[in-house]
Amino acid sequence: MQETLLHISSSTTAATATTTTPAPFNNPNFRSITRPKHLHFPPHSSVKPPTISLPPSLKSSENEIQPAISPPPSQESQIHELLLYLDSLGVDSFYCLHSHPTLISTPLSQIKSTVDFLLSLGVATLDLRRIFPMCPELLTSSTTDIVIPATTFLLREARVEAADLRHVIHRRPRLLTCSVERRLRPTLYFLQGTIGIDNVRKWASLLSCSVEDKFIPRIEYLQKLGFSYRDTITMFRRFPSLFCYSIKENFEPKFDYFVVEMGRELKELVAFPQYFSFSLENRVKPRHRMCVEKGVCLALPTMLKLSDERFRERLEVFRSSSAPVRASPLWFAKDGDVIT
């Protein structure tokens, strides 16, 4: 390689560097890049900083006063206004924001529209203090597209009485956040057609539940326990609240105790599915032990539905006399009630 010669000229002559040209780099995977032979660097003093010229329309004279532009309201002020409004209703605003963060970006006008609509239905301001923390999604749901269609469905298709609407909303406000086409109407048809519940309005709170995610798994679980499909549907028709109970926390422990400790037959649960509604620790176990101590076998409704005082009285009566055998018509009455 030849030696590189560097010539430094005066301040008016540009610096020029002369080097030998290296052999080209040949690679079929990369295209050839030509390297410049001479690099010209202008003197430092000749470099001028760029300047920005404003158009004449934006130039202002010393005496001209520009109009003030009001900034848009900040997010902090919107949140503050939202909190003040919810607090004026007595609603736990911080809980609603924590459980449903999208409430922050919801226009206050939409929230007021929903509140005004609920009040027009007869819902009291006191009810809102329970409804919104229980279902903060109602605050962000469109009044026109979701809340009003859901309310119309409850009144017209589910046959909920107008006088009962306040109670229905108070118990299950999530109903007003559900889609009519994707949730409310399919659930109504399932309860009426498959289960055979005629008076669905009495169980209107179930309409917000998913058939695939909540109803079907519980039906299949009872079938796995040994109940026939017909008996399973009968149990849910007699006591639709079974759909609301947890499989792991309710069905499993209570069924195990029923079969293993109590030694009862499945047909007793078919006749009285309300058994699953009683507390295992506070009602089922203590009363079963008392029956065992007294040597008495009571029907499930008699053992569980009576008050403590009446239960003890009935226990003494059956202890001093012979209890009806299970084949007796006195053992079970219609819908699992006992004839007293």
Side-chain angles (χ1 to χ4, degrees):
M1 175 183 295
Q2 295 181 350
E3 182 180 0
T4 304
L5 300 179
L6 179 63
H7 302 280
I8 303 175
S9 62
S10 62
S11 59
T12 60
T13 306
T16 306
T18 305
T19 59
T20 59
T21 305
F25 175 72
N26 297 324
N27 191 315
N29 296 325
F30 300 92
R31 61 187 180 88
S32 176
I33 301 177
T34 304
R35 181 178 181 180
K37 296 181 179 181
H38 303 284
L39 300 177
H40 299 278
F41 300 95
H44 178 72
S45 60
S46 64
V47 178
K48 297 181 179 181
T51 59
I52 301 175
S53 300
L54 297 176
S57 59
L58 296 181
K59 294 181 179 180
S60 60
S61 61
E62 296 180 357
N63 300 327
E64 185 178 359
I65 300 177
Q66 295 294 330
I69 301 177
S70 301
S74 62
Q75 186 180 18
E76 290 78 7
S77 63
Q78 293 179 3
I79 297 176
H80 182 67
E81 188 177 1
L82 172 62
L83 294 178
L84 287 178
Y85 178 71
L86 293 179
D87 289 341
S88 68
L89 299 174
V91 177
D92 189 346
S93 55
F94 289 100
Y95 177 83
C96 293
L97 286 172
H98 177 72
S99 58
H100 193 54
T102 56
L103 179 61
I104 296 179
S105 59
T106 305
L108 183 58
S109 59
Q110 176 179 325
I111 297 176
K112 290 183 177 180
S113 175
T114 300
V115 171
D116 293 340
F117 178 73
L118 292 176
L119 296 177
S120 69
L121 296 177
V123 177
T125 305
L126 187 62
D127 298 330
L128 301 179
R129 301 175 186 177
R130 178 183 185 274
I131 290 175
F132 289 142
M134 186 177 180
C135 182
E137 294 83 1
L138 184 57
L139 288 167
T140 60
S141 299
S142 172
T143 308
T144 305
D145 299 334
I146 299 179
V147 180
I148 293 180
T151 304
T152 303
F153 171 86
L154 293 175
L155 294 172
R156 295 182 179 179
E157 298 188 42
R159 304 295 182 182
V160 175
E161 297 290 341
D164 299 332
L165 187 59
R166 174 188 174 185
H167 173 72
V168 171
I169 297 174
H170 187 270
R171 182 179 180 184
R172 188 68 173 176
R174 191 170 300 277
L175 286 166
L176 301 186
T177 66
C178 296
S179 168
V180 174
E181 292 76 15
R182 297 191 300 270
R183 176 61 57 83
L184 298 179
R185 188 172 290 123
T187 304
L188 174 66
Y189 291 165
F190 180 84
L191 293 175
Q192 289 178 334
T194 303
I195 306 301
I197 302 175
D198 297 329
N199 190 13
V200 177
R201 63 186 179 186
K202 184 179 179 181
W203 309 97
S205 59
L206 293 175
L207 294 174
S208 63
C209 301
S210 170
V211 174
E212 294 79 9
D213 298 336
K214 195 160 190 174
F215 292 174
I216 299 299
R218 283 156 178 77
I219 293 176
E220 293 177 345
Y221 177 77
L222 291 185
Q223 289 183 267
K224 291 179 181 179
L225 295 180
F227 296 96
S228 66
Y229 176 79
R230 181 178 179 179
D231 288 342
T232 300
I233 298 301
T234 299
M235 293 173 66
F236 283 104
R237 183 170 61 251
R238 288 178 173 174
F239 191 54
S241 293
L242 280 179
F243 285 124
C244 302
Y245 296 150
S246 168
I247 293 177
K248 185 175 183 59
E249 298 178 2
N250 189 304
F251 286 174
E252 288 184 1
K254 291 181 181 179
F255 182 80
D256 290 344
Y257 188 82
F258 178 84
V259 174
V260 177
E261 298 296 332
M262 300 175 67
R264 300 266 187 160
E265 300 179 359
L266 297 185
K267 65 180 181 180
E268 296 184 59
L269 291 179
V270 177
F272 188 68
Q274 292 88 343
Y275 162 82
F276 291 100
S277 65
F278 294 94
S279 171
L280 182 61
E281 299 297 330
N282 299 328
R283 179 62 67 93
V284 178
K285 288 184 178 181
R287 294 198 174 184
H288 171 68
R289 290 167 185 162
M290 293 178 66
C291 291
V292 173
E293 292 174 359
K294 301 293 184 179
V296 175
C297 183
L298 298 178
L300 288 178
T302 305
M303 186 179 76
L304 299 176
K305 292 178 65 175
L306 299 179
S307 63
D308 291 339
E309 183 179 355
R310 290 195 60 191
F311 170 74
R312 292 188 181 92
E313 293 176 357
R314 189 60 57 88
L315 195 62
E316 293 299 328
V317 171
F318 276 91
R319 181 187 179 186
S320 59
S321 61
S322 59
V325 296
R326 301 194 180 195
S328 171
L330 294 179
W331 184 259
F332 289 116
K334 185 178 180 181
D335 294 333
D337 292 332
V338 174
I339 299 177
T340 58

